[in-house]
Amino acid sequence: MKRLSRFLGLWMVLCALVLATLGLARTQEPASYILGPEDIVTVTVVDQPKFSGDYLIPESGRISLPVLGDVTVTDMSIEKLHGLILTAMKKRLVHPEVIVSLKSSRIKRIYVFGDVQKPGVIDLKVGWRIAELISAVGGMSSGVDQRDIRVILDHANGSKVDMSLDEALDSKALLRAGDVVRVQGASLVSIYVAGKVKLPGVYRLREKDAGLLEAITLAGGMSDNANLTSVRIQHADGTDQTVDLSNLLLNGAPIQLPRLRHGDIVVVAESQAHFAILGFIAKPGYYPIPSGKTLDLSQAVAIAGGNDRRARLRRVGVMTVENGREVRRVYDFGKFLLRGDMDSNPMIHAGDVIYLPETEKLDLTTILSGLATGAILYKSFIR
């Protein structure tokens, strides 16, 4: 009897261990796993083979189970299915032991389209969120401005979520097989800006912001000798157009500006309006007259760095062209500096030559000779 009692005790311990093992096997299945078509589940009712078997989930998602009958298991967790079967079995059996396990999982795929490096069908990994998915496809396309990206998540169950990129990357929601992720961003266009701008080169703008002024601004703005009246756009389709920006930039008058397209070239021409200033000036030379602007003698002297201290300001010569003829005049520039006499501060026009003589050389012949020499040099310069 003692041996029998010992045997029965060992047998009960062994049974308890087996049941514990079976229970452990059940709980090892990930509770978050969601069933779907092509999954194969195994239902085991201990000591009841007629209630046990393997079940392939069809496209309809419905399987026929003993006692429970037809049930739709798509989007149902293994844990929930176990609970349904166990509840049904309790109506037929005393203390039923039910195990539900995943015998074979379907190939879990997710679809990624839009502005990513490697769009297409991706094998979904356990625990993936949108952040892991975007990393797996190489991130965003190079020609996309991430400030405007929208991520649209179409769940396999028909629901939809529309998010910004930041919201999508912060999302903790797990992706499911069959989900479709669409990444949509604003495209960038490449524009080449050349000519009289401070930083010529290729610039990338958002397509919706690809305006002429925006492109010129990215290039550092126009140089002082830029021609505001003749900004040329060479479109990628072979057409050209010329835009006059002077009224807009100088007077603030609104004008209709063209939109730029990918591959367009913007050329800011050089202003042909120059004047020459020679003699006793800090920086003798040839200077542009800003496009669309007027210039007087005092401004011209300032542009050239101011007069040399030896210059005779009371006898400043200016050569201009009136009605096709060269006209040479001498101005007492000192009157303007001392008393603001506007008659001594003439307007300077394109092609004018200014000559500041030395203090000791006051004769008109010297001044006129300097103007003539300057005119010859100026004409040689502008050819």
Side-chain angles (χ1 to χ4, degrees):
M1 289 296 292
K2 291 184 178 179
R3 288 185 177 180
L4 179 59
S5 298
R6 177 180 290 183
F7 175 78
L8 290 175
L10 290 173
W11 174 254
M12 291 177 67
V13 171
L14 179 61
C15 288
L17 289 173
V18 170
L19 290 175
T21 303
L22 292 174
L24 179 60
R26 183 178 67 228
T27 57
Q28 280 180 335
E29 283 298 347
S32 62
Y33 186 84
I34 303 300
L35 295 169
E38 299 183 14
D39 281 341
I40 299 176
V41 292
T42 298
V43 177
T44 302
V45 181
V46 177
D47 295 331
Q48 297 292 334
K50 65 179 180 179
F51 295 141
S52 304
D54 295 336
Y55 300 90
L56 171 65
I57 302 175
E59 285 296 324
S60 65
R62 293 179 65 82
I63 57 176
S64 182
L65 296 169
V67 181
L68 187 60
D70 289 346
V71 60
T72 300
V73 297
T74 296
D75 291 333
M76 183 183 294
S77 68
I78 291 177
E79 184 178 15
K80 184 176 180 180
L81 179 59
H82 170 266
L84 292 176
I85 297 173
L86 180 60
T87 300
M89 287 297 172
K90 285 181 179 180
K91 297 177 181 179
R92 296 283 299 271
L93 303 173
V94 178
H95 302 306
E97 191 68 30
V98 177
I99 303 169
V100 179
S101 60
L102 183 66
K103 182 176 182 179
S104 175
S105 63
R106 65 193 182 277
I107 298 176
K108 293 171 287 185
R109 292 191 176 96
I110 196 166
Y111 307 88
V112 188
F113 301 105
D115 296 310
V116 294
Q117 294 284 355
K118 296 181 287 186
V121 182
I122 305 297
D123 289 338
L124 180 62
K125 302 296 188 297
V126 176
W128 267 15
R129 299 161 300 175
I130 290 180
E132 287 77 16
L133 176 66
I134 290 178
S135 176
V137 297
M140 303 299 120
S141 300
S142 58
V144 174
D145 191 312
Q146 297 190 14
R147 292 173 292 177
D148 296 320
I149 286 178
R150 303 297 301 177
V151 178
I152 296 92
L153 173 58
D154 292 313
H155 287 296
N157 62 8
S159 63
K160 177 183 292 188
V161 183
D162 188 334
M163 301 166 280
S164 68
L165 179 61
D166 289 341
E167 291 170 338
L169 295 178
D170 290 338
S171 173
K172 303 302 181 184
L174 296 177
L175 296 172
R176 297 180 181 180
D179 286 352
V180 177
V181 177
R182 289 179 287 129
V183 180
Q184 300 175 347
S187 298
L188 297 177
V189 295
S190 296
I191 307 297
Y192 182 67
V193 186
K196 296 304 175 179
V197 291
K198 295 177 181 177
L199 300 169
V202 178
Y203 294 92
R204 298 174 69 81
L205 297 87
R206 286 189 289 181
E207 190 171 27
K208 67 178 184 179
D209 296 333
L212 180 58
L213 289 183
E214 287 79 4
I216 292 174
T217 300
L218 284 178
M222 294 185 177
S223 304
D224 292 337
N225 59 340
N227 187 350
L228 302 183
T229 64
S230 183
V231 178
R232 183 183 178 192
I233 303 173
Q234 301 174 16
H235 291 295
D237 60 8
T239 60
D240 282 15
Q241 66 182 121
T242 301
V243 181
D244 183 350
L245 293 177
S246 59
N247 207 20
L248 171 64
L249 298 181
L250 298 178
N251 305 317
I255 62 173
Q256 186 67 37
L257 293 174
R259 305 300 299 173
L260 301 178
R261 300 185 292 273
H262 181 72
D264 285 357
I265 301 174
V266 176
V267 181
V268 180
E270 181 180 9
S271 173
Q272 297 301 311
H274 288 77
F275 69 93
I277 185 164
L278 307 171
F280 289 84
I281 191 77
K283 299 177 182 178
Y286 307 90
Y287 295 91
I289 298 177
S291 180
K293 294 186 178 180
T294 58
L295 196 71
D296 59 28
L297 178 58
S298 65
Q299 292 169 325
V301 170
I303 289 173
N307 59 280
D308 187 285
R309 60 183 179 82
R310 295 171 294 170
R312 179 65 172 174
L313 298 182
R314 297 185 63 184
R315 305 285 283 178
V316 175
V318 178
M319 188 201 75
T320 189
V321 176
E322 295 179 358
N323 300 320
R325 297 180 57 186
E326 291 183 354
V327 178
R328 304 172 187 177
R329 295 189 175 94
V330 177
Y331 294 90
D332 186 349
F333 189 53
K335 287 185 178 181
F336 170 76
L337 296 177
L338 294 175
R339 298 191 294 273
D341 181 6
M342 298 306 297
D343 291 337
S344 301
N345 185 37
M347 299 306 296
I348 303 301
H349 305 92
D352 285 2
V353 178
I354 305 168
Y355 180 74
L356 280 71
E358 187 178 3
T359 302
E360 296 177 356
K361 298 179 179 179
L362 301 178
D363 59 289
L364 184 61
T365 302
T366 301
I367 298 172
L368 297 180
S369 176
L371 289 174
T373 303
I376 294 172
L377 294 174
Y378 178 83
K379 291 176 182 178
S380 174
F381 166 76
I382 63 174
R383 286 176 182 171

